[in-house]
Amino acid sequence: MIDYNSIPVTMVKGVSAAKQQELHAFGISTVADLLLYFPYRYEDFHVRRLDEVKDGEKITIEGRIVSTPVVQRFGKKSKVTVRIMVEEWLVSATWFNRPYMREQLTQGRDVVVTGKWDQRRLQITVATSEFADRGAMRKDTLQPVYSVRGKITQNWMRKTIAQAMLQFSETISEVLPAELMRRYRLMPRKQAIAALHNPQDAQAGKQARRRMVYEELLLFQLKLHAFRALNRERADGVAHEASNTQVKEFVRSLPFELTDGQKGAVTDILADMRSPYCMNRLLQGDVGSGKTVVSAIALYASVCSGYQGALMVPTEILAEQHMRSLMKLFEPHGIQIALLTGSVTGRKRKDVLAGLQMGAIDILVGTHALIQEDVFFKRLGLVVTDEQHRFGVNQRSILRRKGMNPDVLLMTATPIPRTLAITAFGDMDVTSIKDRPAGRKPIKTYWVKHEMLERVLGFIRREVDQGRQAYMICPLIEESDKLDVQNAIDVHVQMQQAFPNLSVGLLHGRMSAAEKDEAMRAFSSGSTHLLVSTTVIEVGVDVPNSTLMIIMDAERFGLSQLHQLRGRVGRGEHQSYCVLIADPKSEVGKERMRIMTETEDGFELSQRDLELRGPGDFFGTKQSGLPEFKLADMASDFAVLEQAREDAAELIGMENFWTTAEYRPLHDMLKQEQLFQGELLD
Ligand code: ADP
Ligand code: MG
């Protein structure tokens, strides 16, 4: 391994114990950490030609002083102005609050100044300046800018990293195999690190970055591949033994024919379940593509094989709904199902826990509490997680810690652009359902202003008159779920007044589990015509008779959220509609509304969402499990990521990868690093 890896950062001249503490907050404790702390941008001190600069730009120009300086004072403030001949232009240069400059700005002196350019006045507001007769003019035309805060200043960081390079750059050794270096014409590691901190020019900086990004992504992909290989080697998963006939019979008992996508998914999943390897599969499918029934088939196969299954969902409402639909499917087969959520307490909860441990319960449906805490299964064979993107926790490691090693199936309706999928779920096998149940009509989406509300209400009445149902979604008001609820309550009252002859329901997060369940049941059964709700119904809710989705203040939602909400309709044979009521002020807001009316394809939508928001925000908060890269950027380094993925597969697939000396540095780096939180390689 590279020597500098274990050297404490205090070995760098100028790093005191106090500074060491400060650096710790940056994640820097060794010399290696410091050397790999790269600038996030560079300041460009290239001397520019005046005919190629733009107004308002920060520029560096070179010229000769041709006037005596004029000093103006306003109280404590001051301003020194001098004229400089730059090429054939007479430029006025101004230093604010540096009256002492007056002595230095003598006529005939050659000067280089950096500052903000005012095109109209041919004037530059000087930030820094240098004189030719003071020795060498600035050589480093690109200055690194590091992310700093607290007591660590930009200058200190620059100086310290330069010092660390001086002392330790000789110990930086190559980690990439020579063959890959040649194939992609990569800069040697030492040179690349040096160039990132102090590039001679933009081109050198670019090449250095390319090299380090490749290294970072290759290592990341190697980790994922190594992890998968390890999983294969272990072969300590559950080998389900359900027969084809059993599964086929169950599929025949369903009220509809499976789509091709569903059939493909079932085939993949059953193959995984039968093998002794631990299944680790992600099932992707747009809203309404019919993932629930696929998971039901998998759960059925698990029970037929003598195991227990669990279905984990993000909300209680969804848990209740799945409970109801699975009961319908499974009860004729004598399968026992139970529900476990935060609102199942006391005696009931005790019974469920006992039933699980005794093996009297075959399938458990619930929120994420069901794989944690004091829940123990007799023979857990399969865990399905619906709407996976809502969970941040690494379920596999939780399960392993409990001494269980079931097959794991994750389902998500948030279509993840391919590159993000490789990053976030790179250690998983992925199946996508690309079709939809036959007979579905595209949902018609309209974007209207608030003043159109009256007409929208007319629309509701028409749909209800035809026997259909509608949702009206009220948005989050800032971060306060209290205001949020109040708003829904107000809208509910308004709607009751607007539709005295209709049954208008209300659903929000502050209702008790029983109240929520009651509201959902009333809507499911069709006795409620219009359901006023907060976003608690965003994911998973399935009422095929509802055909109209109205989203109030739609500009307050993100694209994927709007798409999820829209996915609550269009689940049956009737034509469905989505109405976005919004007066967005920002361009991005307008763009979101336009995209919604233009496409119903979740994959396209998420790709455009990614472009609008950037990858960091794609999954919302930090819970995503997306790894953080030092340099690589998921939006712009797509191609490198894919290449690195291929190369990693090739390397790991080699018979002698783990025994060849040339790959030692890679082995060492792999062993040192953790894969994801809690998932150690060995
Ligand atoms: P999602 O993938 O969004 O979770 P669901 O599993 O909730 O979708 O399915 C959406 C609706 O389509 C449900 O009402 C379900 O019963 C129905 N459905 C699922 N598969 C089929 C199919 N092959 N043919 C007809 N309807 C189906
Ligand atoms: Mg679903």
Side-chain angles (χ1 to χ4, degrees):
M1 193 63 236
I2 317 136
D3 303 319
Y4 69 173
N5 240 312
S6 48
I7 306 175
V9 72
T10 41
M11 294 301 284
V12 177
K13 248 181 243 151
V15 180
S16 61
K19 281 287 193 288
Q20 180 190 22
Q21 282 297 315
E22 297 276 336
L23 284 175
H24 201 73
F26 291 70
I28 299 172
S29 49
T30 65
V31 172
D33 296 336
L34 186 65
L35 292 184
L36 297 178
Y37 195 76
F38 296 123
Y40 67 94
R41 68 177 182 89
Y42 300 91
E43 260 185 292
D44 191 350
F45 289 105
H46 267 98
V47 172
R48 305 274 295 274
R49 290 182 49 84
L50 274 185
D51 51 12
E52 62 179 28
V53 301
K54 288 194 212 74
D55 184 48
E57 263 192 299
K58 189 173 180 191
I59 59 165
T60 299
I61 47 177
E62 186 174 22
R64 178 161 296 170
I65 298 172
V66 292
S67 75
T68 46
V70 178
V71 182
Q72 287 171 282
R73 287 177 189 277
F74 334 85
K76 275 190 183 157
K77 307 214 160 134
S78 73
K79 178 174 149 183
V80 183
T81 307
V82 78
R83 298 205 174 267
I84 302 176
M85 199 69 198
V86 180
E87 301 155 43
E88 67 271 37
W89 310 89
L90 197 55
V91 169
S92 139
T94 305
W95 282 253
F96 280 100
N97 305 323
R98 273 167 286 178
Y100 52 83
M101 285 307 295
R102 174 211 208 139
E103 274 82 72
Q104 304 180 30
L105 298 172
T106 47
Q107 274 200 54
R109 233 178 150 189
D110 285 337
V111 66
V112 173
V113 293
T114 300
K116 195 173 164 192
W117 179 238
D118 182 332
Q119 180 79 50
R120 203 169 47 84
R121 297 206 198 118
L122 289 185
Q123 193 251 349
I124 186 165
T125 304
V126 180
T128 59
S129 49
E130 277 181 48
F131 297 97
D133 51 23
R134 282 271 182 84
M137 295 283 273
R138 189 161 24 214
K139 279 228 185 63
D140 306 331
T141 49
L142 286 175
Q143 283 256 28
V145 182
Y146 299 95
S147 161
V148 291
R149 59 183 184 275
K151 290 194 180 126
I152 305 283
T153 63
Q154 193 61 247
N155 266 335
W156 188 86
M157 195 60 120
R158 282 179 185 161
K159 226 176 57 201
T160 307
I161 288 179
Q163 175 63 32
M165 281 305 289
L166 213 63
Q167 283 176 257
F168 294 101
S169 67
E170 284 314 309
T171 64
I172 301 174
S173 58
E174 190 50 67
V175 296
L176 293 178
E179 149 60 14
L180 289 176
M181 302 273 299
R182 259 198 311 275
R183 196 187 300 168
Y184 303 121
R185 296 164 199 246
L186 298 174
M187 224 184 233
R189 192 164 202 262
K190 182 165 55 175
Q191 197 184 324
I193 292 175
L196 272 169
H197 291 297
N198 197 4
Q200 287 311 302
D201 52 47
Q203 189 54 27
K206 232 165 114 182
Q207 289 302 327
R209 185 181 179 281
R210 188 170 72 87
R211 135 93 219 198
M212 293 310 286
V213 165
Y214 179 77
E215 173 185 319
E216 186 168 39
L217 293 177
L218 181 73
L219 214 68
F220 172 70
Q221 290 295 342
L222 275 174
K223 274 182 273 175
L224 296 183
H225 282 284
F227 182 81
R228 277 168 76 160
L230 202 73
N231 188 31
R232 303 264 147 189
E233 237 163 71
R234 272 199 195 127
D236 58 353
V238 177
H240 286 91
E241 283 157 1
S243 75
N244 263 333
T245 359
Q246 280 172 305
V247 175
K248 272 193 183 139
E249 225 162 84
F250 180 70
V251 171
R252 253 200 303 276
S253 77
L254 295 171
F256 42 68
E257 169 95 3
L258 293 185
T259 65
D260 288 346
Q262 286 170 322
K263 283 180 194 158
V266 169
T267 307
D268 286 355
I269 291 163
L270 287 182
D272 283 355
M273 286 176 68
R274 290 195 177 113
S275 81
Y277 310 125
C278 212
M279 171 165 76
N280 191 25
R281 187 169 289 277
L282 177 74
L283 176 60
Q284 276 196 334
D286 209 346
V287 257
S289 60
K291 295 180 294 295
T292 313
V293 69
V294 173
S295 71
I297 296 167
L299 288 166
Y300 180 80
S302 190
V303 174
C304 282
S305 313
Y307 288 91
Q308 291 166 301
L311 175 59
M312 187 163 98
V313 300
T315 65
E316 289 198 4
I317 289 173
L318 200 49
E320 301 264 358
Q321 176 188 290
H322 279 333
M323 178 73 188
R324 263 176 270 144
S325 52
L326 289 184
M327 250 161 53
K328 248 186 258 161
L329 287 177
F330 287 150
E331 249 166 17
H333 300 269
I335 292 173
Q336 293 303 311
I337 313 180
L339 181 73
L340 189 65
T341 63
S343 358
V344 177
T345 53
R347 176 84 233 175
K348 250 176 148 178
R349 182 180 159 84
K350 269 203 189 119
D351 285 350
V352 171
L353 294 187
L356 280 174
Q357 226 163 346
M358 311 280 292
I361 293 170
D362 301 310
I363 289 174
L364 184 64
V365 178
T367 46
H368 71 291
L370 67 73
I371 61 158
Q372 288 167 317
E373 296 166 27
D374 49 352
V375 183
F376 292 98
F377 292 78
K378 184 168 181 229
R379 274 189 102 194
L380 183 61
L382 172 70
V383 176
V384 181
T385 306
D386 195 9
E387 308 294 349
Q388 157 65 21
H389 59 284
R390 290 300 191 92
F391 293 98
V393 286
N394 192 325
Q395 298 136 29
R396 222 166 357 136
S397 57
I398 292 173
L399 290 166
R400 268 198 207 275
R401 244 175 278 145
K402 293 178 69 161
M404 294 186 275
N405 205 9
D407 283 336
V408 172
L409 174 65
L410 308 177
M411 305 200 294
T412 181
T414 294
I416 302 157
R418 184 172 150 64
T419 35
L420 281 189
I422 312 182
T423 351
F425 302 111
D427 59 334
M428 284 179 205
D429 301 304
V430 180
T431 298
S432 299
I433 300 182
K434 297 214 166 102
D435 49 11
R436 291 188 196 211
R440 295 282 160 80
K441 300 182 183 74
I443 301 166
K444 292 189 176 156
T445 302
Y446 306 102
W447 166 26
V448 303
K449 303 271 161 79
H450 276 100
E451 61 206 42
M452 302 278 280
L453 187 61
E454 276 304 316
R455 287 182 59 181
V456 175
L457 297 187
F459 201 176
I460 296 178
R461 191 179 302 280
R462 259 209 339 260
E463 285 300 298
V464 172
D465 282 347
Q466 288 173 20
R468 306 283 85 78
Q469 293 162 274
Y471 296 96
M472 183 176 276
I473 306 299
C474 308
L476 261 145
I477 296 175
E478 261 113 59
E479 298 290 279
S480 152
D481 96 66
K482 203 167 162 188
L483 279 178
D484 188 14
V485 164
Q486 190 51 50
N487 186 38
I489 292 170
D490 292 347
V491 172
H492 181 235
V493 171
Q494 260 179 313
M495 290 304 120
Q496 278 178 317
Q497 285 163 354
F499 300 112
N501 302 323
L502 300 188
S503 161
V504 182
L506 173 67
L507 187 65
H508 60 69
R510 295 228 161 173
M511 287 162 50
S512 73
E515 287 169 328
K516 275 189 254 179
D517 191 33
E518 183 45 43
M520 257 339 281
R521 268 172 204 270
F523 191 66
S524 283
S525 70
S527 59
T528 299
H529 302 118
L530 171 66
L531 183 64
V532 174
S533 172
T534 56
T535 54
V536 287
I537 60 126
E538 182 183 335
V539 291
V541 166
D542 182 43
V543 181
N545 189 50
S546 54
T547 51
L548 179 54
M549 166 59 68
I550 296 159
I551 305 176
M552 308 286 281
D553 300 328
E555 74 271 17
R556 293 176 189 260
F557 297 100
L559 263 183
S560 61
Q561 208 176 3
L562 289 171
H563 182 62
Q564 286 283 342
L565 286 166
R566 176 168 61 183
R568 296 312 112 217
V569 297
R571 303 187 143 244
E573 78 259 42
H574 307 290
Q575 174 63 54
S576 291
Y577 309 89
C578 174
V579 180
L580 308 165
I581 302 184
D583 299 292
K585 292 192 184 61
S586 72
E587 269 314 307
V588 174
K590 285 177 193 158
E591 183 61 18
R592 279 208 297 266
M593 297 307 119
R594 273 195 290 268
I595 293 174
M596 279 295 290
T597 58
E598 280 164 19
T599 181
E600 212 200 317
D601 176 339
F603 281 90
E604 183 184 340
L605 218 126
S606 72
Q607 191 62 50
R608 293 176 73 171
D609 200 15
L610 180 65
E611 284 158 19
L612 273 184
R613 286 203 280 174
D617 281 345
F618 187 79
F619 288 94
T621 41
K622 274 227 157 190
Q623 54 162 270
S624 63
L626 263 182
E628 281 185 38
F629 294 112
K630 278 187 199 304
L631 281 175
D633 170 36
M634 282 311 96
S636 60
D637 297 322
F638 273 23
V640 187
L641 181 67
E642 301 236 347
Q643 192 57 59
R645 182 174 159 87
E646 261 174 47
D647 297 341
E650 193 183 307
L651 281 172
I652 290 275
M654 283 168 44
E655 200 133 314
N656 56 354
F657 175 72
W658 293 103
T659 49
T660 305
E662 193 190 358
Y663 304 133
R664 267 292 296 282
L666 287 179
H667 305 160
D668 290 341
M669 286 177 105
L670 282 175
K671 280 183 193 145
Q672 266 177 12
E673 303 219 20
Q674 289 196 339
L675 186 53
F676 289 128
Q677 310 93 309
E679 284 282 26
L680 278 169
L681 256 183
D682 46 13

